[in-house]
Amino acid sequence: EAAVGCRITLALAFDPGAAECPCVGPGSPLFDTLLVELETRGIPTSYGLEGCKAYDKGHTLVGCADDTAPHCNNSWCFVDMSTCPIDEDLCKAAGGTVGSDVSPHCRARASAKSVILNPVYHYSYETCGSLNVYDESRLMLPIAGKTLRISVSPQWAPWILRRPSPGGQAADDVGGVIFDFFMESLKVFSPGVQTVVSPVFVTEGSVQKVGGNLWTACAHDVAIGVVDLCVSDFWRLPLREAMVQFTPKFMEETFVLVVPKMPAEDTLWTRLEKPFAPFESMAWLAVCGCLLGMSLILWALRLWSTNCAACHGSFFGVIADFSHTQIEILQDFLSGSVGVDGNAYAQNFFKLGFQFFLLVVLASYTASLASQLVVKRDSVGALSSIEEAIKRNVDLCAETILHDTLQEKFPTAKFVAAVYQEDGPRMVYAGQCGAAIMSLRAIDEMHAGVLKAQDCAAVEEGTLTEEEGRCRQGFDGRLRDDCELVKVGGGLVSISIAFPVSERLVHSISWALTKHLAIGGFEKAVRMNAAAYPKSTCAAVDASGAADAPGLGVEDLSGTFIISFVVIGIGVCFFFCDFSRHMASELSTPRAYDPEEPPTMLRHLERSQVEVEGTAQAAEKVVVVCSLDEEQTSGEVTAA
């Protein structure tokens, strides 16, 4: 009975782990052999054989004397690799499919080779619901202390740079952001990794098989085992993912539309439009409507305050009075002031509403005008977006390997095949397409003159004709100037950049890269190679074509000048009309000729002088009267 109770207690204490990868226990073929192995090495025979437990807790053998390491409290056990892997036949026999929960044979749990026993034995944290954070040897073993054969792309600043090697070692004559980042990440492995750079970037056989793209050919070389890894700016595309595994991405490339720029239209009409550009036409109509309504209210208030004095005049007088009110409102609007008299509640609230209207509208107008008044003398794009290019049926040059991705996103677009995106500018100059799709990095190289230099070198070497390479000829017979190509619109697509790597190394390399990326390794490589980044020789042009300007010139304000002088001219015309009507009235009045009477203009001046003198005399009389009153008042006060 005691024996039976003991067996029951043992059975209850034994946690076998997940059914798809159970722990080794009594009755397992490996149980006895593991007991002997543990006893031979002086390790307690219960170690790893009592189901899922935290065997390493307090165990000095695995660095857990003080239990501070992250693996010390994690449960694990030894597992039998004859039962852990997926058995597709048994899974189907049970009516399941791989990955389903129908049978334990349809799924598996991760395991690792033992590092303290014979490596034929395996253990698993995962079957016990834990993560293996103890054994980094499973990450180290595939690469640490071994030789890594890598392929590195040709010079591709700033990512890959070819440098003279003082030491003569193959790997030392290569640098650049991506290469330096990769080599630094390998330092996590101990013992260190020996790298051997392949003398050629790709094999000719792979180039022929993949259709000429060197980067895809390198991924093919990794897939067939020629090299272990390719180091360059590789795009993670479905075609390449299908043939080889990739590391996690460490950067992205964004692709945009590049179009020829054209001079901005600068006519008298466009200059006249500029002062009105801050608001759309409907906004201007709304503002004018508000001003008309406010002028009606102001006119009504004035009629009420004057007992409708203007109503007793002629119809034309009423219209003139209303027009005068309109002009006052416009003057107040342009000056930002409120010329409303009176202190009644009606006038006060009218002034308050009008002031708020002026504050918001004028502030909005000023802010918008400040950004729009400058004439864009440099350029605007011939196209504004890829949607416009599609609508106008414009052919778009794009790297062949991107066609599937772009066509899926823009199914109605027409794409022209380019071997590489860097071929886009010369193809646009040659008229093979109206625009090109390029990455921001390639655009920087284009504006720095790198692509033109490459095309000219190809023409000089004879690999391209002048008609193909367009070394000298640009648009409309002008010399080639890559600053005449500008980006427009936002990003069309973003593609991850990573390394194609051998399947047996992907976990280890990915772990090393991610670890180095997390501590700022890539940013450090960027800073180390900052001088290698291409420097644009073009003026700073944004996506809309607007360039930095030193300030406003006369031509920028010409529309405002013209409108202002036209309005002033209208005022001058009214002045001459009034003057002519007044002179005609003077001349039409019969008057006896008096040789001593001065001409009309002098008569007006004399009349004005008389009026001034009369006003002065009247003022003196008022002063005298006031003085007499003061004396009289003073006398009366004294008498009192």
Side-chain angles (χ1 to χ4, degrees), residues 205-487:
S206 290
V207 174
Q208 294 176 359
K209 287 184 178 295
V210 301
N213 187 285
L214 298 183
W215 274 251
T216 305
C218 194
H220 186 269
D221 281 340
V222 174
I224 63 178
V226 175
V227 292
D228 298 317
L229 181 139
C230 291
V231 180
S232 190
D233 54 334
F234 280 85
W235 301 337
R236 291 187 65 170
L237 297 171
L239 173 65
R240 295 170 181 170
E241 290 273 8
M243 65 175 66
V244 68
Q245 294 197 46
F246 277 78
T247 64
K249 73 172 185 179
F250 50 84
M251 59 180 290
E252 278 189 344
E253 276 206 312
T254 300
F255 291 81
V256 297
L257 188 66
V258 175
V259 303
K261 71 179 182 181
M262 61 181 184
E265 186 180 8
D266 186 18
T267 63
L268 176 62
W269 181 250
T270 58
R271 293 187 179 187
L272 291 176
E273 285 181 332
K274 284 194 176 297
F276 302 98
F279 294 155
E280 296 180 352
S281 56
M282 292 303 297
W284 278 116
L285 287 176
V287 170
C288 292
C290 289
L291 292 175
L292 178 62
M294 291 178 180
S295 64
L296 284 171
I297 296 173
L298 177 61
W299 187 55
L301 290 174
R302 285 183 175 176
L303 290 179
W304 174 77
S305 63
T306 59
N307 295 320
C308 200
C311 302
H312 304 299
S314 65
F315 173 77
F316 292 105
V318 173
I319 297 299
D321 186 69
F322 177 69
S323 300
H324 180 70
T325 305
Q326 291 280 354
I327 294 175
E328 285 184 350
I329 284 289
L330 287 175
Q331 290 174 339
D332 291 344
F333 175 73
L334 295 176
S335 64
S337 61
V338 181
V340 180
D341 299 327
N343 292 318
Y345 282 114
Q347 285 92 338
N348 288 335
F349 277 101
F350 178 82
K351 286 191 286 186
L352 183 62
F354 193 29
Q355 285 171 338
F356 179 77
F357 175 78
L358 292 177
L359 175 67
V360 176
V361 173
L362 292 181
S364 302
Y365 178 86
T366 304
S368 182
L369 184 64
S371 62
Q372 297 187 19
L373 193 58
V374 177
V375 177
K376 295 179 181 179
R377 292 180 291 269
D378 284 325
S379 68
V380 292
L383 300 168
S384 61
S385 65
I386 193 170
E387 289 76 17
E388 183 182 354
I390 294 172
K391 185 177 181 180
R392 292 170 55 179
N393 204 30
V394 175
D395 292 336
L396 305 175
C397 287
E399 190 163 332
T400 306
I401 200 168
L402 294 176
H403 278 202
D404 290 342
T405 301
L406 292 170
Q407 200 74 67
E408 186 173 352
K409 188 170 184 180
F410 305 101
T412 58
K414 293 174 60 180
F415 295 105
V416 177
V419 178
Y420 298 107
Q421 61 168 327
E422 291 77 13
D423 300 335
R426 59 181 175 86
M427 294 177 70
V428 173
Y429 291 130
Q432 299 178 37
C433 51
I437 295 177
M438 302 173 65
S439 68
L440 297 178
R441 181 260 309 166
I443 294 173
D444 290 340
E445 293 175 342
M446 176 181 70
H447 286 163
V450 175
L451 303 189
K452 179 182 178 181
Q454 292 176 352
D455 292 337
C456 289
V459 170
E460 292 177 2
E461 293 171 0
T463 55
L464 291 176
T465 65
E466 172 59 30
E467 184 63 25
E468 295 170 334
R470 294 286 172 153
C471 173
R472 298 178 181 83
Q473 188 175 357
F475 293 121
D476 301 327
R478 299 190 299 271
L479 291 176
R480 172 172 173 174
D481 181 6
D482 284 351
C483 294
E484 293 187 353
L485 294 171
V486 295
K487 62 182 177 71

Side-chain angles (χ1 to χ4, degrees), residues 161-175 179 197:
L161 301 173
R162 297 286 177 170
R163 298 166 176 161
S165 174
Q169 298 181 5
D172 291 339
D173 64 348
V174 184
F179 186 83
V197 178

Side-chain angles (χ1 to χ4, degrees), residues 34-53:
L34 276 168
L35 282 174
V36 174
E37 180 79 13
L38 291 169
E39 187 176 2
T40 301
R41 294 180 180 268
I43 301 173
T45 54
S46 61
Y47 189 73
L49 293 178
E50 293 183 351
C52 291
K53 286 186 177 180

Side-chain angles (χ1 to χ4, degrees), residues 27 107 343 361 439 471 484 500 506 514 538 550 587 600 617 621:
R107 299 185 65 85
N343 292 318
V361 173
S439 68
C471 173
E484 293 187 353
V506 64
T514 303
C538 307
L587 294 175
T600 302
Q617 293 173 0
K621 291 179 180 179

Side-chain angles (χ1 to χ4, degrees), residues 152-163 173-177 179-180 529 532:
V152 183
S153 70
Q155 172 89 2
W156 202 251
W159 313 122
I160 302 296
L161 301 173
R162 297 286 177 170
R163 298 166 176 161
D173 64 348
V174 184
V177 174
F179 186 83
D180 291 344
N529 294 275

Side-chain angles (χ1 to χ4, degrees), residues 73-94:
N73 294 303
N74 284 354
S75 299
W76 63 276
C77 66
F78 288 111
V79 294
D80 188 349
M81 291 308 293
S82 65
T83 59
C84 280
I86 293 174
D87 192 321
E88 191 170 353
D89 293 335
L90 292 176
C91 176
K92 289 182 179 179

